[in-house]
mmCIF file with all atom_site columns, all heavy atoms in Angstrom:
data_model
loop_
_atom_site.group_PDB
_atom_site.id
_atom_site.type_symbol
_atom_site.label_atom_id
_atom_site.label_alt_id
_atom_site.label_comp_id
_atom_site.label_asym_id
_atom_site.label_entity_id
_atom_site.label_seq_id
_atom_site.pdbx_PDB_ins_code
_atom_site.Cartn_x
_atom_site.Cartn_y
_atom_site.Cartn_z
_atom_site.occupancy
_atom_site.B_iso_or_equiv
_atom_site.pdbx_formal_charge
_atom_site.auth_seq_id
_atom_site.auth_comp_id
_atom_site.auth_asym_id
_atom_site.auth_atom_id
_atom_site.pdbx_PDB_model_num
ATOM 1   N N   . GLN T 1 1  ? -17.002 -42.844 66.584 1.00 96.00 ? 1  GLN T N   1
ATOM 2   C CA  . GLN T 1 1  ? -18.120 -41.997 66.177 1.00 96.00 ? 1  GLN T CA  1
ATOM 3   C C   . GLN T 1 1  ? -18.504 -41.015 67.278 1.00 96.00 ? 1  GLN T C   1
ATOM 4   O O   . GLN T 1 1  ? -19.152 -39.997 67.027 1.00 96.00 ? 1  GLN T O   1
ATOM 5   C CB  . GLN T 1 1  ? -19.335 -42.862 65.833 1.00 96.00 ? 1  GLN T CB  1
ATOM 6   C CG  . GLN T 1 1  ? -19.096 -43.871 64.716 1.00 96.00 ? 1  GLN T CG  1
ATOM 7   C CD  . GLN T 1 1  ? -20.294 -44.795 64.522 1.00 96.00 ? 1  GLN T CD  1
ATOM 8   O OE1 . GLN T 1 1  ? -21.395 -44.352 64.186 1.00 96.00 ? 1  GLN T OE1 1
ATOM 9   N NE2 . GLN T 1 1  ? -20.092 -46.084 64.754 1.00 96.00 ? 1  GLN T NE2 1
ATOM 10  N N   . ILE T 1 2  ? -18.098 -41.326 68.504 1.00 95.00 ? 2  ILE T N   1
ATOM 11  C CA  . ILE T 1 2  ? -18.416 -40.477 69.659 1.00 95.00 ? 2  ILE T CA  1
ATOM 12  C C   . ILE T 1 2  ? -17.309 -39.464 69.912 1.00 95.00 ? 2  ILE T C   1
ATOM 13  O O   . ILE T 1 2  ? -17.561 -38.296 70.178 1.00 95.00 ? 2  ILE T O   1
ATOM 14  C CB  . ILE T 1 2  ? -18.640 -41.366 70.899 1.00 95.00 ? 2  ILE T CB  1
ATOM 15  C CG1 . ILE T 1 2  ? -19.859 -42.261 70.664 1.00 95.00 ? 2  ILE T CG1 1
ATOM 16  C CG2 . ILE T 1 2  ? -18.804 -40.523 72.152 1.00 95.00 ? 2  ILE T CG2 1
ATOM 17  C CD1 . ILE T 1 2  ? -20.023 -43.359 71.679 1.00 95.00 ? 2  ILE T CD1 1
ATOM 18  N N   . CYS T 1 3  ? -16.056 -39.920 69.821 1.00 95.00 ? 3  CYS T N   1
ATOM 19  C CA  . CYS T 1 3  ? -14.908 -39.026 69.957 1.00 95.00 ? 3  CYS T CA  1
ATOM 20  C C   . CYS T 1 3  ? -13.752 -39.627 69.163 1.00 95.00 ? 3  CYS T C   1
ATOM 21  O O   . CYS T 1 3  ? -13.641 -40.855 69.065 1.00 95.00 ? 3  CYS T O   1
ATOM 22  C CB  . CYS T 1 3  ? -14.515 -38.836 71.422 1.00 95.00 ? 3  CYS T CB  1
ATOM 23  S SG  . CYS T 1 3  ? -14.008 -40.359 72.234 1.00 95.00 ? 3  CYS T SG  1
ATOM 24  N N   . PRO T 1 4  ? -12.886 -38.800 68.583 1.00 97.00 ? 4  PRO T N   1
ATOM 25  C CA  . PRO T 1 4  ? -11.766 -39.324 67.789 1.00 97.00 ? 4  PRO T CA  1
ATOM 26  C C   . PRO T 1 4  ? -10.849 -40.187 68.653 1.00 97.00 ? 4  PRO T C   1
ATOM 27  O O   . PRO T 1 4  ? -10.412 -39.764 69.722 1.00 97.00 ? 4  PRO T O   1
ATOM 28  C CB  . PRO T 1 4  ? -11.053 -38.063 67.306 1.00 97.00 ? 4  PRO T CB  1
ATOM 29  C CG  . PRO T 1 4  ? -12.069 -36.978 67.402 1.00 97.00 ? 4  PRO T CG  1
ATOM 30  C CD  . PRO T 1 4  ? -12.927 -37.332 68.579 1.00 97.00 ? 4  PRO T CD  1
ATOM 31  N N   . ILE T 1 5  ? -10.580 -41.413 68.206 1.00 98.00 ? 5  ILE T N   1
ATOM 32  C CA  . ILE T 1 5  ? -9.719  -42.341 68.929 1.00 98.00 ? 5  ILE T CA  1
ATOM 33  C C   . ILE T 1 5  ? -8.557  -42.751 68.041 1.00 98.00 ? 5  ILE T C   1
ATOM 34  O O   . ILE T 1 5  ? -8.751  -43.070 66.864 1.00 98.00 ? 5  ILE T O   1
ATOM 35  C CB  . ILE T 1 5  ? -10.504 -43.597 69.385 1.00 98.00 ? 5  ILE T CB  1
ATOM 36  C CG1 . ILE T 1 5  ? -11.545 -43.229 70.446 1.00 98.00 ? 5  ILE T CG1 1
ATOM 37  C CG2 . ILE T 1 5  ? -9.560  -44.663 69.934 1.00 98.00 ? 5  ILE T CG2 1
ATOM 38  C CD1 . ILE T 1 5  ? -12.446 -44.384 70.847 1.00 98.00 ? 5  ILE T CD1 1
ATOM 39  N N   . ARG T 1 6  ? -7.374  -42.746 68.608 1.00 97.00 ? 6  ARG T N   1
ATOM 40  C CA  . ARG T 1 6  ? -6.189  -43.226 67.895 1.00 97.00 ? 6  ARG T CA  1
ATOM 41  C C   . ARG T 1 6  ? -5.555  -44.334 68.728 1.00 97.00 ? 6  ARG T C   1
ATOM 42  O O   . ARG T 1 6  ? -5.078  -44.092 69.840 1.00 97.00 ? 6  ARG T O   1
ATOM 43  C CB  . ARG T 1 6  ? -5.184  -42.078 67.691 1.00 97.00 ? 6  ARG T CB  1
ATOM 44  C CG  . ARG T 1 6  ? -3.888  -42.494 67.021 1.00 97.00 ? 6  ARG T CG  1
ATOM 45  C CD  . ARG T 1 6  ? -4.095  -42.851 65.563 1.00 97.00 ? 6  ARG T CD  1
ATOM 46  N NE  . ARG T 1 6  ? -2.855  -43.288 64.940 1.00 97.00 ? 6  ARG T NE  1
ATOM 47  C CZ  . ARG T 1 6  ? -1.968  -42.472 64.362 1.00 97.00 ? 6  ARG T CZ  1
ATOM 48  N NH1 . ARG T 1 6  ? -2.208  -41.164 64.353 1.00 97.00 ? 6  ARG T NH1 1
ATOM 49  N NH2 . ARG T 1 6  ? -0.878  -42.944 63.808 1.00 97.00 ? 6  ARG T NH2 1
ATOM 50  N N   . ALA T 1 7  ? -5.583  -45.554 68.208 1.00 97.00 ? 7  ALA T N   1
ATOM 51  C CA  . ALA T 1 7  ? -4.957  -46.667 68.906 1.00 97.00 ? 7  ALA T CA  1
ATOM 52  C C   . ALA T 1 7  ? -3.443  -46.565 68.767 1.00 97.00 ? 7  ALA T C   1
ATOM 53  O O   . ALA T 1 7  ? -2.910  -46.517 67.659 1.00 97.00 ? 7  ALA T O   1
ATOM 54  C CB  . ALA T 1 7  ? -5.453  -47.989 68.327 1.00 97.00 ? 7  ALA T CB  1
ATOM 55  N N   . VAL T 1 8  ? -2.729  -46.515 69.900 1.00 95.00 ? 8  VAL T N   1
ATOM 56  C CA  . VAL T 1 8  ? -1.266  -46.350 69.882 1.00 95.00 ? 8  VAL T CA  1
ATOM 57  C C   . VAL T 1 8  ? -0.555  -47.519 70.557 1.00 95.00 ? 8  VAL T C   1
ATOM 58  O O   . VAL T 1 8  ? 0.647   -47.472 70.772 1.00 95.00 ? 8  VAL T O   1
ATOM 59  C CB  . VAL T 1 8  ? -0.856  -45.020 70.559 1.00 95.00 ? 8  VAL T CB  1
ATOM 60  C CG1 . VAL T 1 8  ? -1.388  -43.833 69.779 1.00 95.00 ? 8  VAL T CG1 1
ATOM 61  C CG2 . VAL T 1 8  ? -1.346  -44.971 72.006 1.00 95.00 ? 8  VAL T CG2 1
ATOM 62  N N   . GLY T 1 9  ? -1.306  -48.565 70.899 1.00 92.00 ? 9  GLY T N   1
ATOM 63  C CA  . GLY T 1 9  ? -0.697  -49.685 71.612 1.00 92.00 ? 9  GLY T CA  1
ATOM 64  C C   . GLY T 1 9  ? -0.262  -50.807 70.688 1.00 92.00 ? 9  GLY T C   1
ATOM 65  O O   . GLY T 1 9  ? -0.480  -50.732 69.475 1.00 92.00 ? 9  GLY T O   1
ATOM 66  N N   . PRO T 1 10 ? 0.323   -51.849 71.260 1.00 92.00 ? 10 PRO T N   1
ATOM 67  C CA  . PRO T 1 10 ? 0.679   -51.910 72.687 1.00 92.00 ? 10 PRO T CA  1
ATOM 68  C C   . PRO T 1 10 ? 1.964   -51.137 72.966 1.00 92.00 ? 10 PRO T C   1
ATOM 69  O O   . PRO T 1 10 ? 2.981   -51.337 72.298 1.00 92.00 ? 10 PRO T O   1
ATOM 70  C CB  . PRO T 1 10 ? 0.866   -53.409 72.937 1.00 92.00 ? 10 PRO T CB  1
ATOM 71  C CG  . PRO T 1 10 ? 1.286   -53.958 71.592 1.00 92.00 ? 10 PRO T CG  1
ATOM 72  C CD  . PRO T 1 10 ? 0.590   -53.114 70.560 1.00 92.00 ? 10 PRO T CD  1
ATOM 73  N N   . LEU T 1 11 ? 1.910   -50.251 73.951 1.00 91.00 ? 11 LEU T N   1
ATOM 74  C CA  . LEU T 1 11 ? 3.055   -49.403 74.263 1.00 91.00 ? 11 LEU T CA  1
ATOM 75  C C   . LEU T 1 11 ? 4.151   -50.154 75.019 1.00 91.00 ? 11 LEU T C   1
ATOM 76  O O   . LEU T 1 11 ? 5.301   -49.732 75.016 1.00 91.00 ? 11 LEU T O   1
ATOM 77  C CB  . LEU T 1 11 ? 2.610   -48.201 75.112 1.00 91.00 ? 11 LEU T CB  1
ATOM 78  C CG  . LEU T 1 11 ? 1.733   -47.170 74.384 1.00 91.00 ? 11 LEU T CG  1
ATOM 79  C CD1 . LEU T 1 11 ? 1.170   -46.165 75.374 1.00 91.00 ? 11 LEU T CD1 1
ATOM 80  C CD2 . LEU T 1 11 ? 2.535   -46.452 73.300 1.00 91.00 ? 11 LEU T CD2 1
ATOM 81  N N   . PHE T 1 12 ? 3.798   -51.278 75.653 1.00 84.00 ? 12 PHE T N   1
ATOM 82  C CA  . PHE T 1 12 ? 4.767   -51.965 76.511 1.00 84.00 ? 12 PHE T CA  1
ATOM 83  C C   . PHE T 1 12 ? 5.803   -52.758 75.725 1.00 84.00 ? 12 PHE T C   1
ATOM 84  O O   . PHE T 1 12 ? 6.813   -53.174 76.270 1.00 84.00 ? 12 PHE T O   1
ATOM 85  C CB  . PHE T 1 12 ? 4.053   -52.913 77.478 1.00 84.00 ? 12 PHE T CB  1
ATOM 86  C CG  . PHE T 1 12 ? 3.557   -54.181 76.836 1.00 84.00 ? 12 PHE T CG  1
ATOM 87  C CD1 . PHE T 1 12 ? 4.344   -55.319 76.848 1.00 84.00 ? 12 PHE T CD1 1
ATOM 88  C CD2 . PHE T 1 12 ? 2.314   -54.229 76.229 1.00 84.00 ? 12 PHE T CD2 1
ATOM 89  C CE1 . PHE T 1 12 ? 3.890   -56.489 76.255 1.00 84.00 ? 12 PHE T CE1 1
ATOM 90  C CE2 . PHE T 1 12 ? 1.856   -55.397 75.640 1.00 84.00 ? 12 PHE T CE2 1
ATOM 91  C CZ  . PHE T 1 12 ? 2.652   -56.530 75.655 1.00 84.00 ? 12 PHE T CZ  1
ATOM 92  N N   . ASN T 1 13 ? 5.575   -52.990 74.438 1.00 74.00 ? 13 ASN T N   1
ATOM 93  C CA  . ASN T 1 13 ? 6.457   -53.888 73.700 1.00 74.00 ? 13 ASN T CA  1
ATOM 94  C C   . ASN T 1 13 ? 6.821   -53.291 72.347 1.00 74.00 ? 13 ASN T C   1
ATOM 95  O O   . ASN T 1 13 ? 6.659   -53.921 71.307 1.00 74.00 ? 13 ASN T O   1
ATOM 96  C CB  . ASN T 1 13 ? 5.778   -55.250 73.510 1.00 74.00 ? 13 ASN T CB  1
ATOM 97  C CG  . ASN T 1 13 ? 6.725   -56.320 72.994 1.00 74.00 ? 13 ASN T CG  1
ATOM 98  O OD1 . ASN T 1 13 ? 7.925   -56.242 73.234 1.00 74.00 ? 13 ASN T OD1 1
ATOM 99  N ND2 . ASN T 1 13 ? 6.189   -57.302 72.283 1.00 74.00 ? 13 ASN T ND2 1
ATOM 100 N N   . ASN T 1 14 ? 7.308   -52.060 72.361 1.00 72.00 ? 14 ASN T N   1
ATOM 101 C CA  . ASN T 1 14 ? 7.657   -51.374 71.117 1.00 72.00 ? 14 ASN T CA  1
ATOM 102 C C   . ASN T 1 14 ? 9.168   -51.336 70.957 1.00 72.00 ? 14 ASN T C   1
ATOM 103 O O   . ASN T 1 14 ? 9.871   -50.760 71.788 1.00 72.00 ? 14 ASN T O   1
ATOM 104 C CB  . ASN T 1 14 ? 7.088   -49.953 71.129 1.00 72.00 ? 14 ASN T CB  1
ATOM 105 C CG  . ASN T 1 14 ? 7.124   -49.310 69.757 1.00 72.00 ? 14 ASN T CG  1
ATOM 106 O OD1 . ASN T 1 14 ? 8.136   -49.349 69.071 1.00 72.00 ? 14 ASN T OD1 1
ATOM 107 N ND2 . ASN T 1 14 ? 6.016   -48.714 69.354 1.00 72.00 ? 14 ASN T ND2 1
ATOM 108 N N   . PRO T 1 15 ? 9.712   -51.932 69.892 1.00 69.00 ? 15 PRO T N   1
ATOM 109 C CA  . PRO T 1 15 ? 11.175  -51.977 69.724 1.00 69.00 ? 15 PRO T CA  1
ATOM 110 C C   . PRO T 1 15 ? 11.810  -50.597 69.596 1.00 69.00 ? 15 PRO T C   1
ATOM 111 O O   . PRO T 1 15 ? 13.000  -50.434 69.875 1.00 69.00 ? 15 PRO T O   1
ATOM 112 C CB  . PRO T 1 15 ? 11.358  -52.795 68.432 1.00 69.00 ? 15 PRO T CB  1
ATOM 113 C CG  . PRO T 1 15 ? 10.031  -52.724 67.727 1.00 69.00 ? 15 PRO T CG  1
ATOM 114 C CD  . PRO T 1 15 ? 9.006   -52.631 68.807 1.00 69.00 ? 15 PRO T CD  1
ATOM 115 N N   . LEU T 1 16 ? 11.034  -49.597 69.192 1.00 64.00 ? 16 LEU T N   1
ATOM 116 C CA  . LEU T 1 16 ? 11.584  -48.246 69.082 1.00 64.00 ? 16 LEU T CA  1
ATOM 117 C C   . LEU T 1 16 ? 12.013  -47.688 70.434 1.00 64.00 ? 16 LEU T C   1
ATOM 118 O O   . LEU T 1 16 ? 12.841  -46.783 70.511 1.00 64.00 ? 16 LEU T O   1
ATOM 119 C CB  . LEU T 1 16 ? 10.549  -47.299 68.455 1.00 64.00 ? 16 LEU T CB  1
ATOM 120 C CG  . LEU T 1 16 ? 10.260  -47.469 66.963 1.00 64.00 ? 16 LEU T CG  1
ATOM 121 C CD1 . LEU T 1 16 ? 9.093   -46.580 66.556 1.00 64.00 ? 16 LEU T CD1 1
ATOM 122 C CD2 . LEU T 1 16 ? 11.495  -47.143 66.136 1.00 64.00 ? 16 LEU T CD2 1
ATOM 123 N N   . LEU T 1 17 ? 11.448  -48.233 71.516 1.00 66.00 ? 17 LEU T N   1
ATOM 124 C CA  . LEU T 1 17 ? 11.717  -47.695 72.849 1.00 66.00 ? 17 LEU T CA  1
ATOM 125 C C   . LEU T 1 17 ? 12.895  -48.374 73.529 1.00 66.00 ? 17 LEU T C   1
ATOM 126 O O   . LEU T 1 17 ? 13.353  -47.918 74.574 1.00 66.00 ? 17 LEU T O   1
ATOM 127 C CB  . LEU T 1 17 ? 10.470  -47.830 73.725 1.00 66.00 ? 17 LEU T CB  1
ATOM 128 C CG  . LEU T 1 17 ? 9.166   -47.276 73.135 1.00 66.00 ? 17 LEU T CG  1
ATOM 129 C CD1 . LEU T 1 17 ? 8.036   -47.421 74.126 1.00 66.00 ? 17 LEU T CD1 1
ATOM 130 C CD2 . LEU T 1 17 ? 9.336   -45.826 72.720 1.00 66.00 ? 17 LEU T CD2 1
ATOM 131 N N   . GLU T 1 18 ? 13.377  -49.457 72.956 1.00 61.00 ? 18 GLU T N   1
ATOM 132 C CA  . GLU T 1 18 ? 14.442  -50.216 73.608 1.00 61.00 ? 18 GLU T CA  1
ATOM 133 C C   . GLU T 1 18 ? 15.757  -49.452 73.628 1.00 61.00 ? 18 GLU T C   1
ATOM 134 O O   . GLU T 1 18 ? 16.627  -49.699 74.448 1.00 61.00 ? 18 GLU T O   1
ATOM 135 C CB  . GLU T 1 18 ? 14.635  -51.567 72.907 1.00 61.00 ? 18 GLU T CB  1
ATOM 136 C CG  . GLU T 1 18 ? 13.410  -52.467 72.958 1.00 61.00 ? 18 GLU T CG  1
ATOM 137 C CD  . GLU T 1 18 ? 12.971  -52.752 74.378 1.00 61.00 ? 18 GLU T CD  1
ATOM 138 O OE1 . GLU T 1 18 ? 13.844  -52.972 75.244 1.00 61.00 ? 18 GLU T OE1 1
ATOM 139 O OE2 . GLU T 1 18 ? 11.753  -52.751 74.633 1.00 61.00 ? 18 GLU T OE2 1
ATOM 140 N N   . THR T 1 19 ? 15.911  -48.491 72.699 1.00 56.00 ? 19 THR T N   1
ATOM 141 C CA  . THR T 1 19 ? 17.166  -47.743 72.626 1.00 56.00 ? 19 THR T CA  1
ATOM 142 C C   . THR T 1 19 ? 17.237  -46.615 73.645 1.00 56.00 ? 19 THR T C   1
ATOM 143 O O   . THR T 1 19 ? 18.280  -45.997 73.806 1.00 56.00 ? 19 THR T O   1
ATOM 144 C CB  . THR T 1 19 ? 17.347  -47.145 71.220 1.00 56.00 ? 19 THR T CB  1
ATOM 145 O OG1 . THR T 1 19 ? 16.220  -46.307 70.911 1.00 56.00 ? 19 THR T OG1 1
ATOM 146 C CG2 . THR T 1 19 ? 17.433  -48.256 70.174 1.00 56.00 ? 19 THR T CG2 1
ATOM 147 N N   . SER T 1 20 ? 16.131  -46.330 74.330 1.00 58.00 ? 20 SER T N   1
ATOM 148 C CA  . SER T 1 20 ? 16.096  -45.223 75.289 1.00 58.00 ? 20 SER T CA  1
ATOM 149 C C   . SER T 1 20 ? 16.627  -45.694 76.639 1.00 58.00 ? 20 SER T C   1
ATOM 150 O O   . SER T 1 20 ? 15.933  -45.705 77.648 1.00 58.00 ? 20 SER T O   1
ATOM 151 C CB  . SER T 1 20 ? 14.668  -44.694 75.425 1.00 58.00 ? 20 SER T CB  1
ATOM 152 O OG  . SER T 1 20 ? 14.119  -44.386 74.170 1.00 58.00 ? 20 SER T OG  1
ATOM 153 N N   . SER T 1 21 ? 17.876  -46.094 76.652 1.00 58.00 ? 21 SER T N   1
ATOM 154 C CA  . SER T 1 21 ? 18.465  -46.650 77.866 1.00 58.00 ? 21 SER T CA  1
ATOM 155 C C   . SER T 1 21 ? 18.535  -45.605 78.968 1.00 58.00 ? 21 SER T C   1
ATOM 156 O O   . SER T 1 21 ? 18.866  -44.450 78.729 1.00 58.00 ? 21 SER T O   1
ATOM 157 C CB  . SER T 1 21 ? 19.871  -47.179 77.570 1.00 58.00 ? 21 SER T CB  1
ATOM 158 O OG  . SER T 1 21 ? 20.694  -46.153 77.067 1.00 58.00 ? 21 SER T OG  1
ATOM 159 N N   . GLY T 1 22 ? 18.192  -46.024 80.178 1.00 70.00 ? 22 GLY T N   1
ATOM 160 C CA  . GLY T 1 22 ? 18.272  -45.130 81.335 1.00 70.00 ? 22 GLY T CA  1
ATOM 161 C C   . GLY T 1 22 ? 17.023  -44.316 81.559 1.00 70.00 ? 22 GLY T C   1
ATOM 162 O O   . GLY T 1 22 ? 16.808  -43.796 82.645 1.00 70.00 ? 22 GLY T O   1
ATOM 163 N N   . ILE T 1 23 ? 16.161  -44.167 80.543 1.00 83.00 ? 23 ILE T N   1
ATOM 164 C CA  . ILE T 1 23 ? 14.930  -43.392 80.690 1.00 83.00 ? 23 ILE T CA  1
ATOM 165 C C   . ILE T 1 23 ? 13.840  -44.346 81.133 1.00 83.00 ? 23 ILE T C   1
ATOM 166 O O   . ILE T 1 23 ? 13.281  -45.095 80.348 1.00 83.00 ? 23 ILE T O   1
ATOM 167 C CB  . ILE T 1 23 ? 14.544  -42.693 79.376 1.00 83.00 ? 23 ILE T CB  1
ATOM 168 C CG1 . ILE T 1 23 ? 15.671  -41.771 78.908 1.00 83.00 ? 23 ILE T CG1 1
ATOM 169 C CG2 . ILE T 1 23 ? 13.256  -41.888 79.563 1.00 83.00 ? 23 ILE T CG2 1
ATOM 170 C CD1 . ILE T 1 23 ? 15.400  -41.107 77.573 1.00 83.00 ? 23 ILE T CD1 1
ATOM 171 N N   . SER T 1 24 ? 13.566  -44.322 82.415 1.00 80.00 ? 24 SER T N   1
ATOM 172 C CA  . SER T 1 24 ? 12.641  -45.290 82.998 1.00 80.00 ? 24 SER T CA  1
ATOM 173 C C   . SER T 1 24 ? 11.690  -44.592 83.959 1.00 80.00 ? 24 SER T C   1
ATOM 174 O O   . SER T 1 24 ? 12.031  -43.574 84.563 1.00 80.00 ? 24 SER T O   1
ATOM 175 C CB  . SER T 1 24 ? 13.432  -46.377 83.740 1.00 80.00 ? 24 SER T CB  1
ATOM 176 O OG  . SER T 1 24 ? 12.609  -47.130 84.588 1.00 80.00 ? 24 SER T OG  1
ATOM 177 N N   . GLY T 1 25 ? 10.494  -45.168 84.086 1.00 81.00 ? 25 GLY T N   1
ATOM 178 C CA  . GLY T 1 25 ? 9.523   -44.621 85.029 1.00 81.00 ? 25 GLY T CA  1
ATOM 179 C C   . GLY T 1 25 ? 9.468   -45.393 86.327 1.00 81.00 ? 25 GLY T C   1
ATOM 180 O O   . GLY T 1 25 ? 8.560   -45.182 87.134 1.00 81.00 ? 25 GLY T O   1
ATOM 181 N N   . ASP T 1 26 ? 10.439  -46.274 86.562 1.00 79.00 ? 26 ASP T N   1
ATOM 182 C CA  . ASP T 1 26 ? 10.429  -47.090 87.774 1.00 79.00 ? 26 ASP T CA  1
ATOM 183 C C   . ASP T 1 26 ? 10.521  -46.214 89.023 1.00 79.00 ? 26 ASP T C   1
ATOM 184 O O   . ASP T 1 26 ? 11.367  -45.317 89.102 1.00 79.00 ? 26 ASP T O   1
ATOM 185 C CB  . ASP T 1 26 ? 11.589  -48.080 87.775 1.00 79.00 ? 26 ASP T CB  1
ATOM 186 C CG  . ASP T 1 26 ? 11.407  -49.176 86.734 1.00 79.00 ? 26 ASP T CG  1
ATOM 187 O OD1 . ASP T 1 26 ? 10.288  -49.323 86.230 1.00 79.00 ? 26 ASP T OD1 1
ATOM 188 O OD2 . ASP T 1 26 ? 12.390  -49.875 86.430 1.00 79.00 ? 26 ASP T OD2 1
ATOM 189 N N   . LEU T 1 27 ? 9.678   -46.513 90.004 1.00 78.00 ? 27 LEU T N   1
ATOM 190 C CA  . LEU T 1 27 ? 9.703   -45.801 91.275 1.00 78.00 ? 27 LEU T CA  1
ATOM 191 C C   . LEU T 1 27 ? 10.490  -46.559 92.335 1.00 78.00 ? 27 LEU T C   1
ATOM 192 O O   . LEU T 1 27 ? 10.815  -46.011 93.381 1.00 78.00 ? 27 LEU T O   1
ATOM 193 C CB  . LEU T 1 27 ? 8.269   -45.556 91.780 1.00 78.00 ? 27 LEU T CB  1
ATOM 194 C CG  . LEU T 1 27 ? 7.343   -44.792 90.828 1.00 78.00 ? 27 LEU T CG  1
ATOM 195 C CD1 . LEU T 1 27 ? 5.985   -44.582 91.475 1.00 78.00 ? 27 LEU T CD1 1
ATOM 196 C CD2 . LEU T 1 27 ? 7.964   -43.471 90.411 1.00 78.00 ? 27 LEU T CD2 1
ATOM 197 N N   . ILE T 1 28 ? 10.776  -47.812 92.054 1.00 74.00 ? 28 ILE T N   1
ATOM 198 C CA  . ILE T 1 28 ? 11.560  -48.649 92.959 1.00 74.00 ? 28 ILE T CA  1
ATOM 199 C C   . ILE T 1 28 ? 12.644  -49.343 92.152 1.00 74.00 ? 28 ILE T C   1
ATOM 200 O O   . ILE T 1 28 ? 12.368  -49.898 91.087 1.00 74.00 ? 28 ILE T O   1
ATOM 201 C CB  . ILE T 1 28 ? 10.683  -49.709 93.658 1.00 74.00 ? 28 ILE T CB  1
ATOM 202 C CG1 . ILE T 1 28 ? 9.586   -49.035 94.475 1.00 74.00 ? 28 ILE T CG1 1
ATOM 203 C CG2 . ILE T 1 28 ? 11.523  -50.608 94.563 1.00 74.00 ? 28 ILE T CG2 1
ATOM 204 C CD1 . ILE T 1 28 ? 8.589   -50.004 95.072 1.00 74.00 ? 28 ILE T CD1 1
ATOM 205 N N   . LYS T 1 29 ? 13.866  -49.314 92.636 1.00 71.00 ? 29 LYS T N   1
ATOM 206 C CA  . LYS T 1 29 ? 14.967  -49.965 91.935 1.00 71.00 ? 29 LYS T CA  1
ATOM 207 C C   . LYS T 1 29 ? 14.744  -51.473 91.921 1.00 71.00 ? 29 LYS T C   1
ATOM 208 O O   . LYS T 1 29 ? 14.589  -52.105 92.954 1.00 71.00 ? 29 LYS T O   1
ATOM 209 C CB  . LYS T 1 29 ? 16.300  -49.630 92.601 1.00 71.00 ? 29 LYS T CB  1
ATOM 210 C CG  . LYS T 1 29 ? 17.513  -50.093 91.839 1.00 71.00 ? 29 LYS T CG  1
ATOM 211 C CD  . LYS T 1 29 ? 18.789  -49.602 92.522 1.00 71.00 ? 29 LYS T CD  1
ATOM 212 C CE  . LYS T 1 29 ? 20.026  -50.040 91.745 1.00 71.00 ? 29 LYS T CE  1
ATOM 213 N NZ  . LYS T 1 29 ? 20.184  -51.497 91.731 1.00 71.00 ? 29 LYS T NZ  1
ATOM 214 N N   . ALA T 1 30 ? 14.733  -52.052 90.734 1.00 65.00 ? 30 ALA T N   1
ATOM 215 C CA  . ALA T 1 30 ? 14.403  -53.467 90.601 1.00 65.00 ? 30 ALA T CA  1
ATOM 216 C C   . ALA T 1 30 ? 15.614  -54.342 90.292 1.00 65.00 ? 30 ALA T C   1
ATOM 217 O O   . ALA T 1 30 ? 15.487  -55.558 90.213 1.00 65.00 ? 30 ALA T O   1
ATOM 218 C CB  . ALA T 1 30 ? 13.364  -53.655 89.493 1.00 65.00 ? 30 ALA T CB  1
ATOM 219 N N   . ASP T 1 31 ? 16.785  -53.746 90.129 1.00 63.00 ? 31 ASP T N   1
ATOM 220 C CA  . ASP T 1 31 ? 17.968  -54.506 89.710 1.00 63.00 ? 31 ASP T CA  1
ATOM 221 C C   . ASP T 1 31 ? 18.355  -55.595 90.703 1.00 63.00 ? 31 ASP T C   1
ATOM 222 O O   . ASP T 1 31 ? 18.958  -56.594 90.332 1.00 63.00 ? 31 ASP T O   1
ATOM 223 C CB  . ASP T 1 31 ? 19.161  -53.565 89.510 1.00 63.00 ? 31 ASP T CB  1
ATOM 224 C CG  . ASP T 1 31 ? 18.937  -52.605 88.346 1.00 63.00 ? 31 ASP T CG  1
ATOM 225 O OD1 . ASP T 1 31 ? 18.011  -52.867 87.557 1.00 63.00 ? 31 ASP T OD1 1
ATOM 226 O OD2 . ASP T 1 31 ? 19.664  -51.623 88.241 1.00 63.00 ? 31 ASP T OD2 1
ATOM 227 N N   . ASP T 1 32 ? 18.022  -55.410 91.977 1.00 69.00 ? 32 ASP T N   1
ATOM 228 C CA  . ASP T 1 32 ? 18.490  -56.330 93.004 1.00 69.00 ? 32 ASP T CA  1
ATOM 229 C C   . ASP T 1 32 ? 17.975  -57.757 92.819 1.00 69.00 ? 32 ASP T C   1
ATOM 230 O O   . ASP T 1 32 ? 18.566  -58.699 93.333 1.00 69.00 ? 32 ASP T O   1
ATOM 231 C CB  . ASP T 1 32 ? 18.071  -55.821 94.391 1.00 69.00 ? 32 ASP T CB  1
ATOM 232 C CG  . ASP T 1 32 ? 18.724  -54.487 94.731 1.00 69.00 ? 32 ASP T CG  1
ATOM 233 O OD1 . ASP T 1 32 ? 19.759  -54.168 94.117 1.00 69.00 ? 32 ASP T OD1 1
ATOM 234 O OD2 . ASP T 1 32 ? 18.184  -53.780 95.584 1.00 69.00 ? 32 ASP T OD2 1
ATOM 235 N N   . CYS T 1 33 ? 16.880  -57.939 92.104 1.00 79.00 ? 33 CYS T N   1
ATOM 236 C CA  . CYS T 1 33 ? 16.306  -59.275 91.954 1.00 79.00 ? 33 CYS T CA  1
ATOM 237 C C   . CYS T 1 33 ? 16.722  -59.959 90.661 1.00 79.00 ? 33 CYS T C   1
ATOM 238 O O   . CYS T 1 33 ? 16.385  -61.125 90.442 1.00 79.00 ? 33 CYS T O   1
ATOM 239 C CB  . CYS T 1 33 ? 14.786  -59.222 92.030 1.00 79.00 ? 33 CYS T CB  1
ATOM 240 S SG  . CYS T 1 33 ? 14.026  -58.385 90.623 1.00 79.00 ? 33 CYS T SG  1
#
């Protein structure tokens, strides 16, 4: 009622994003662990 809100979450667990291989926002390489 104060401002238009669109709930788009949870963004962390969306199966549509699993196919985007290689597109990552990681700032540190995590593969070593």
Side-chain angles (χ1 to χ4, degrees):
Q1 301 174 62
I2 296 169
C3 62
I5 293 174
R6 177 70 182 272
V8 296
L11 291 171
F12 75 93
N13 191 27
N14 194 312
L16 288 173
L17 308 182
E18 298 302 319
T19 57
S20 307
S21 59
I23 302 177
S24 165
D26 290 345
L27 303 182
I28 300 174
K29 188 175 181 295
D31 294 345
D32 296 339
C33 68

